[in-house]
Amino acid sequence: MSLVDLTPKTQEVERGLLRLNSQRRKLAIVSAVSGVLLLTAILSLVYLKPMLYGFFGLSLELTQLHIPTSFSGQFDINHQSSDAFFNLISWVGWLILKLSMSFFVAFLFVRLLRKIPFFAVRLKRRLMRLVAWCIGFILIWSGLSFWQYESTRQDPYVEWTQYDRHIDESLIAQVISDSQVDEPVAAYMLAQTALLHQPSDTAAAIPHVLSLVRAEIQNQNFVTYGFQPEQLWVMQQQLYGKSLTPLTKHIDRQAQQAENLYQVAKYGLWVLNVLLAIVFITTQLLARHMHSRMLRIESYLN
């Protein structure tokens, strides 16, 4: 039946149905966007604290080996570092992998969603399939980016800090035993070696960290060794949960600023999560209600 044959009342109902369908599409888009933002905000809570501490040059646990100037001349470790060309090739390879995998797997993501009755109804329109594809692309890209981060963040000197049973088996310990280095320098390197070992060898690290504490208090030339205060702070925090020496207590101010910023950001993210959850649930319910109403109207028209 053409629009010309419809009564004015029926035409008005048709126009209302079109408006209702337009509003439902807008609600579905808002719901999808709020869902993606909600998922992103939840994941941000996991990495928020390490990221904020990193802004202040700190970390929650030892992650990299620091070579002080008083020890760097003892052996050559430069060959362990990747050159710029290799890093460029690696970056390009990861970019191609993430683009290709995210692009094609996102289609599989949409196809799987369409097999679920709840999503099958909502993915009949091309716009909603595009939104679902974008969500899948973002999720897959994020997962691959995290995989890239985990695979590339490994310390380039990791083989120097690994051993099977005793710290004396490590390459750093062997270099120290074959060379003339001051006791604080040896303690600094061995403490890092123990904490960078997988898993962390806290039992081996404690005597070396205590040796560093005594050296800082008793040795007036302690600062000339070139030790990194942030590295000392992380080691003491990881073992004792507090700063033990004046040099590391000076870092407590930075750590407190990072902690304050973390608490504010965490509170803000929780508030954002609640608001996004409310928007997501509300728009989902409204969209479902409008869909039911449209079905009733269409049945009336038929």
Side-chain angles (χ1 to χ4, degrees):
M1 183 169 54
S2 64
L3 289 176
V4 179
D5 300 327
L6 295 174
T7 63
K9 183 177 180 181
T10 305
Q11 292 179 6
E12 183 179 352
V13 172
E14 286 277 7
R15 288 192 294 269
L17 184 63
L18 292 174
R19 289 194 300 269
L20 194 63
N21 189 39
S22 176
Q23 293 175 357
R24 187 184 67 84
R25 287 201 302 268
K26 293 177 181 178
L27 283 173
I29 294 174
V30 172
S31 177
V33 172
S34 62
V36 173
L37 293 177
L38 177 61
L39 180 61
T40 304
I42 292 174
L43 292 176
S44 298
L45 284 171
V46 179
Y47 305 104
L48 180 63
K49 192 168 187 177
M51 182 180 65
L52 291 180
Y53 272 69
F55 287 154
F56 290 86
L58 303 174
S59 61
L60 301 176
E61 60 181 21
L62 211 63
T63 58
Q64 289 187 335
L65 180 68
H66 173 248
I67 310 295
T69 55
S70 54
F71 189 74
S72 58
Q74 297 300 324
F75 62 105
D76 179 22
I77 57 174
N78 292 327
H79 67 280
Q80 297 295 324
S81 301
S82 301
D83 55 27
F85 179 74
F86 177 79
N87 289 336
L88 177 61
I89 295 297
S90 176
W91 183 84
V92 172
W94 274 107
L95 179 62
I96 295 174
L97 175 66
K98 290 192 292 185
L99 282 174
S100 57
M101 289 291 291
S102 300
F103 183 84
F104 291 109
V105 178
F107 286 105
L108 296 178
F109 176 75
V110 175
R111 189 171 182 178
L112 289 174
L113 287 181
R114 295 184 68 180
K115 294 183 179 296
I116 303 175
F118 176 80
F119 294 105
V121 177
R122 289 158 178 78
L123 294 178
K124 288 182 178 180
R125 296 188 176 275
R126 183 177 300 177
L127 178 62
M128 295 309 301
R129 290 199 297 271
L130 177 61
V131 172
W133 183 90
C134 291
I135 294 174
F137 185 93
I138 293 173
L139 291 176
I140 297 162
W141 181 281
S142 301
L144 290 174
S145 297
F146 177 74
W147 182 23
Q148 178 186 8
Y149 168 76
E150 288 293 323
S151 62
T152 58
R153 73 168 185 163
Q154 191 178 49
D155 197 313
Y157 313 133
V158 64
E159 67 178 66
W160 293 89
T161 61
Q162 295 307 301
Y163 50 90
D164 292 329
R165 296 183 179 180
H166 197 273
I167 193 171
D168 291 337
E169 300 173 357
S170 65
L171 291 177
I172 285 184
Q174 295 174 20
V175 169
I176 291 174
S177 63
D178 295 337
S179 57
Q180 298 293 327
V181 296
D182 292 343
E183 182 180 346
V185 178
Y188 183 73
M189 297 303 301
L190 291 174
Q192 292 184 89
T193 300
L195 291 177
L196 288 172
H197 182 266
Q198 298 297 329
S200 297
D201 191 353
T202 55
I206 288 175
H208 298 298
V209 171
L210 291 179
S211 178
L212 287 170
V213 171
R214 289 193 299 268
E216 182 178 342
I217 297 173
Q218 300 172 2
N219 192 338
Q220 296 180 352
N221 298 322
F222 185 81
V223 293
T224 63
Y225 291 121
F227 301 152
Q228 196 174 62
E230 292 80 6
Q231 199 82 337
L232 294 170
W233 182 87
V234 173
M235 288 191 286
Q236 293 178 14
Q237 293 290 328
Q238 190 171 342
L239 292 176
Y240 301 102
K242 60 181 180 179
S243 300
L244 303 177
T245 60
L247 191 61
T248 55
K249 287 180 180 179
H250 180 72
I251 307 296
D252 285 342
R253 183 181 301 177
Q254 295 175 244
Q256 188 59 49
Q257 292 175 349
E259 183 64 26
N260 292 340
L261 182 60
Y262 165 69
Q263 294 297 335
V264 173
K266 183 177 70 171
Y267 177 78
L269 276 177
W270 275 113
V271 173
L272 180 62
N273 283 334
V274 172
L275 293 177
L276 288 173
I278 292 174
V279 172
F280 178 74
I281 295 173
T282 303
T283 51
Q284 279 287 327
L285 293 176
L286 287 175
R288 183 177 299 182
H289 173 72
M290 286 185 177
H291 181 68
S292 300
R293 187 177 176 185
M294 288 175 58
L295 292 178
R296 290 196 302 269
I297 294 174
E298 289 175 350
S299 63
Y300 165 77
L301 291 175
N302 294 329

